Amino acid sequence: MTRLLNAEIRKLWTIWSTLVIFAILVVIDLAFGFGLALAPGGRHGGTAGIVPHGSSQWFVNVFSVLDVSRLLALVLGVLIITGEYRHKTVTPTFLAEPRRGRIVMAKSGVGFGAGVLLGALTMLTGLVLGLVLVSMKIHSCLTPVGVAQGMSLAVCSAHHGAYYVATTHNMWHEWSRIAPGVVLGTGLFAIYGLGLGALLKNQIVAIVVGLVFTLVVESIIGAIWPTIGEYLPGQAATALEDAARTNFGGGTTQLLPWWGGAIMLLIYGIALAFLGTSTTLRSDIT
Amino acid sequence: MPTIQARGLTKRFGADVVAVDHLDFDALPGGVTGFLGPNGAGKTTTLRMLLGLVTPTSGSVLIDGHRYRDLPNPTMRVGAVLEASGFHPARTARNHLKLIAKVAGLPFSRVDECLDLVGLSEAGDRAVGGFSMGMRQRLELARAMLGKPDILVLDEPANGLDPQGIAWLRDFLKLYASEGATQHGGGRIVIVSSHLLSEAQLIVDDVIVLTAGRLAAQGRLQDLLAGSKRSVRVRTPDAARLVQALHDAKLPALERDGYVVCEGVTPETVAPIMVENRIAVYEMGSSTESLESLFFALTGGEGMQIGQAAPQTGDYRRFNDGPQAPPAAPSHSPGSVGGQR
């Protein structure tokens, strides 16, 4: 199994598409983060439809971009398995290790690791974004504490529309409080994507299904049947990230406890991967 | 000593396509086994079942009594060169091989050895996306050779190789199969599937001929050819009379391309008849059957279009126009009366 894991890690870093995903994450985080933070109009405030700097909604807008790590982890998970079919490298892979279940297990492990890296990277980028914004002193309320709280607020409330209630926390405390949830959630989302890829096999179909479900279908289901919505993968990840939501008042969407979110995500990943292994992946390689 | 045994091997695709139908065969070590058959005969499906990529509907094909997927580290036992195998275009040849070496627990020095073997040392650090068909084929062979396996399986390995590459591969496979072989057996199993019969004839020791998913013949190529038909070919100004004379002698003769061809006889039979009838001879030759004509006889000539002389304008045979008579021409040497190849 160690050999398989090593080979799968090597597979990831010997092609550039993996690095591209990591690069996209940093670029989106920084470009959109700064873009939203420095958008004209906000500085003067007051006009209808324009979000004043330093307001809770401004924080949410700026830092909600960090959430893209979850979607990229999903895509990476899909690529890890469907790339083998797309480029037909599945033939040499299965020749060298004909027990296909073991390959999926190794890939899940490596996918989780890559997802964790993506989550860590997005939290680091968010920290850089926040520190730079503070140092630019574009608004008096941009203190390190405010930025950190904004970050955690954004991660949590982008999904359930909580509004920010200022509390005075230490910046590092705020940051480190949400980081584990984001990192673990992103890692688990990669396994979810991998399971989706194992089941659907077609790269484009799996990516489209994964993104549309996470971005559109989940929101609709969540709005209509919140009790079902909270068990869906995206909301489960949010629950995991929002480990300390008691700091924020007025959440309108139901969420599972953080450990419940983690368990649900793990179940999705394992169930899909198992289903994929016992159906799609068993099929003949011709 | 490695063994490969197929017993009752059957593969259906869907309800009515039977790709392989109750196939029994043994592949023997020490020589190259040719896996021959027309397109769609089930060659590739059979090889992929051997390699655990395709699951048989029923029956089995076993390597030393085990299924491929039960081999603990198959890279060390079986090397496979397959047509539809893939490469990630952005990955270098060396990295492609290192992945497999990693899974098999082989040192990376073995990767360099195998790249060197197939002449890809220089290209090893280039992305496979820019490789020619022949280079990809050689990279496949390098991958198959990583574990120094005692069984090599190659599906249409000559595809994409230039003439030097084909000649090199031929020598390599013959040597590889016979290494370690003694009078008492031994050596390695090398299975080569091919539709290039003239090429196969140069390299194979044993043949397994498939047609429509069934076994048409199996055995040593020599024995199969020895038991096969001979033919005599004559160029004469009195073709019609000669055909008539041969028919009178109850011999199957026909006129083709300005020659009279008589199957199943030797010149010793034909010459006295010609003398008796005072028929002039310009040229006479005889042949034992080639692998190609043996193949036509075994498979009914389905779908084989290879190596035929260019037809006259407007006279193309359609792809599935049934059997064409065995081409006898290549092995005749003009003027050598009674000469045999």
Side-chain angles (χ1 to χ4, degrees):
Chain A
M1 202 45 159
T2 321
R3 288 172 180 175
L4 273 183
L5 281 171
N6 280 329
E8 290 298 331
I9 291 170
R10 183 170 271 275
K11 259 179 208 172
L12 272 187
W13 65 254
T14 49
I15 52 172
W16 47 262
S17 38
T18 318
L19 301 175
V20 167
I21 287 185
F22 280 84
I24 288 176
L25 177 74
V26 174
V27 169
I28 290 185
D29 278 358
L30 292 181
F32 281 77
F34 280 117
L36 290 166
L38 304 175
R43 193 168 298 196
H44 307 292
T47 324
I50 290 180
V51 182
H53 279 240
S55 70
S56 57
Q57 190 55 51
W58 182 81
F59 278 121
V60 169
N61 287 355
V62 170
F63 291 101
S64 60
V65 74
L66 301 186
D67 243 19
V68 81
S69 66
R70 190 192 293 176
L71 299 178
L72 286 173
L74 178 94
V75 171
L76 185 66
V78 169
L79 289 182
I80 284 176
I81 197 137
T82 58
E84 295 256 18
Y85 279 94
R86 180 155 172 235
H87 300 292
K88 291 183 171 166
T89 49
V90 70
T91 302
T93 299
F94 284 171
L95 282 176
E97 177 48 271
R99 287 161 295 184
R100 302 180 185 182
R102 286 167 59 93
I103 302 241
V104 175
M105 274 160 66
K107 283 187 183 298
S108 303
V110 172
F112 178 73
V116 161
L117 279 180
L118 277 173
L121 193 61
T122 207
M123 285 312 293
L124 279 176
T125 321
L127 192 63
V128 170
L129 181 65
L131 290 174
V132 172
L133 286 178
V134 169
S135 67
M136 284 166 72
K137 292 191 168 69
I138 53 171
H139 196 280
S140 57
C141 68
L142 278 179
T143 62
V145 172
V147 166
Q149 287 175 336
M151 216 188 298
S152 66
L153 172 74
V155 166
C156 309
S157 64
H159 303 277
H160 58 111
Y163 60 88
Y164 179 53
V165 178
T167 48
T168 49
H169 277 283
N170 175 291
M171 173 168 179
W172 300 108
H173 178 244
E174 280 292 319
W175 186 82
S176 57
R177 193 171 57 79
I178 57 167
V182 172
V183 170
L184 182 60
T186 315
L188 291 174
F189 234 69
I191 300 185
Y192 167 51
L194 196 131
L196 213 55
L199 190 65
L200 297 176
K201 202 155 98 174
N202 181 302
Q203 192 163 85
I204 307 295
V205 171
I207 289 177
V208 169
V209 166
L211 292 185
V212 167
F213 191 84
T214 309
L215 294 176
V216 182
V217 180
E218 274 202 36
S219 316
I220 295 172
I221 295 177
I224 303 175
W225 303 288
T227 40
I228 299 175
E230 65 180 324
Y231 290 97
L232 297 177
Q235 296 290 35
T238 304
L240 182 54
E241 293 166 358
D242 192 12
R245 93 197 67 140
T246 44
N247 285 333
F248 307 106
T252 53
T253 307
Q254 299 183 38
L255 286 176
L256 297 169
W258 72 268
W259 50 266
I263 290 173
M264 279 317 294
L265 264 185
L266 204 57
I267 287 176
Y268 281 115
I270 291 176
L272 285 172
F274 183 78
L275 209 62
T277 309
S278 53
T279 57
T280 320
L281 289 193
R282 269 183 61 192
S283 60
D284 295 337
I285 312 295
T286 52
Chain B
M1 203 170 88
T3 64
I4 292 179
Q5 274 196 337
R7 290 295 176 265
L9 190 63
T10 302
K11 180 64 184 182
R12 291 169 197 280
F13 291 109
D16 37 42
V17 180
V18 185
V20 178
D21 194 4
H22 293 90
L23 193 59
D24 298 329
F25 68 86
D26 291 273
L28 303 172
V32 178
T33 303
F35 221 68
L36 312 175
N39 295 336
K43 303 187 296 284
T44 298
T45 305
T46 304
L47 295 185
R48 284 182 171 260
M49 284 194 278
L50 167 67
L51 296 167
L53 295 170
V54 168
T55 311
T57 309
S58 64
S60 64
V61 51
L62 301 178
I63 296 157
D64 292 347
H66 302 286
R67 293 186 309 166
Y68 185 91
R69 50 186 74 171
D70 296 330
L71 298 175
N73 190 357
T75 309
M76 311 303 287
R77 290 302 319 278
V78 185
V81 175
L82 296 175
E83 268 193 293
S85 184
F87 310 93
H88 194 290
R91 199 174 276 135
T92 66
R94 185 167 274 115
N95 276 330
H96 178 75
L97 296 184
K98 280 182 175 176
L99 290 176
I100 307 299
K102 201 86 201 169
V103 176
L106 289 163
F108 287 163
S109 59
R110 184 66 195 145
V111 168
D112 296 327
E113 285 170 30
C114 288
L115 280 174
D116 190 45
L117 174 75
V118 300
L120 285 178
S121 290
E122 310 250 310
D125 291 320
R126 278 168 47 196
V128 181
F131 275 25
S132 69
M133 176 94 174
M135 288 167 86
R136 285 164 196 246
Q137 196 71 301
R138 283 187 279 153
L139 181 56
E140 265 290 275
L141 184 64
R143 185 182 57 70
M145 290 300 297
L146 278 174
K148 286 185 190 142
D150 53 10
I151 296 171
L152 256 188
V153 178
L154 304 96
D155 195 7
E156 303 283 359
N159 277 3
L161 292 182
D162 54 19
Q164 289 100 318
I166 292 178
W168 170 82
L169 182 69
R170 186 164 63 216
D171 295 342
F172 171 77
L173 292 179
K174 273 186 133 20
L175 182 66
Y176 195 73
S178 62
E179 261 177 5
T182 63
Q183 285 165 318
H184 313 290
R188 303 189 178 102
I189 295 181
V190 175
I191 298 181
V192 178
S193 88
S194 183
H195 65 273
L196 296 173
L197 298 172
S198 49
E199 180 56 37
Q201 189 159 18
L202 295 176
I203 180 175
V204 302
D205 304 289
D206 301 307
V207 288
I208 293 170
V209 182
L210 296 188
T211 172
R214 288 169 176 276
L215 187 70
Q218 171 176 8
R220 297 204 75 82
L221 179 63
Q222 277 177 310
D223 301 344
L224 286 175
L225 288 179
S228 68
K229 290 185 293 185
R230 296 152 178 271
S231 70
V232 172
R233 198 174 69 146
V234 183
R235 188 157 71 87
T236 167
D238 289 330
R241 274 181 56 221
L242 177 56
V243 169
Q244 190 54 49
L246 290 168
H247 282 172
D248 291 346
K250 307 240 181 299
L251 294 173
L254 55 91
E255 192 185 344
R256 192 200 303 153
D257 303 337
Y259 289 85
V260 173
V261 178
C262 188
E263 303 273 355
V265 294
T266 56
E268 285 83 346
T269 314
V270 178
I273 296 175
M274 295 177 75
V275 169
E276 197 179 303
N277 290 278
R278 303 181 62 81
I279 293 169
V281 181
Y282 294 162
E283 194 181 315
M284 188 171 182
S286 80
S287 70
T288 54
E289 232 171 354
S290 65
L291 175 58
E292 194 167 63
S293 46
L294 171 67
F295 183 87
F296 279 116
L298 288 169
T299 62
E302 300 163 49
M304 295 300 292
Q305 295 285 85
I306 300 113
Q308 303 299 324
Q312 300 300 308
T313 315
D315 194 26
Y316 293 102
R317 283 168 68 233
R318 287 207 329 278
F319 188 73
N320 279 324
D321 270 358
Q324 176 160 331
S331 46
H332 285 275
S333 45
S336 61
V337 175
Q340 293 202 358
R341 287 223 308 184

